[in-house]
Amino acid sequence: MDRREFLGWVGVGAIASSLPVAIAACSRQNAKTDSSSDSARADGFAPVGTITDLDRQGQILNKEFDRGSILVIRNPSDPKNVNAVNPTCTHAGCTVSWDSDQKLFACPCHGSQFAPDGKVVQGPAEEPLTAYEAKLEGNIILAKKM
Ligand code: FES
């Protein structure tokens, strides 16, 4: 075997040995992407978190829910239920957070405020936050797009 043949075989070996790693990386990425849709039940609801976590944290923010973001709070006018919205501000895309004292979603970027159901209370945002249908089953919080 001359030098040229040897280097050719080494190149083929390097490609062949890295192929399983590349396939595994792609498989893991696909599994992660598919898992969000696989978690939805036949009725379209998917678990977001637990009431225990919600009460401990005051809100649950999940940025990988159903290929979007979801923010869950206790409904301030009916604390036995929850409200869920997409926390992406409709003005310019910042992430709102729940202000439990004012009972509003507040945007840190330009001051927009939204009611617990997502409706605009104060601009500059003009469109409401996208609301999810949410419910409780025991300690589990479930939500789906409306
Ligand atoms: S991005 Fe929320 S008010 Fe501008």
Side-chain angles (χ1 to χ4, degrees), residues 21 34 65 118 122 139:
V21 174
D34 292 346
F65 181 80
Q122 174 181 301
N139 192 37

Side-chain angles (χ1 to χ4, degrees), residues 88-96 106-114 122-125:
T88 305
C89 181
T90 56
H91 176 237
C94 293
T95 300
V96 303
C107 182
C109 292
H110 311 104
S112 287
Q113 296 179 330
F114 303 86
Q122 174 181 301

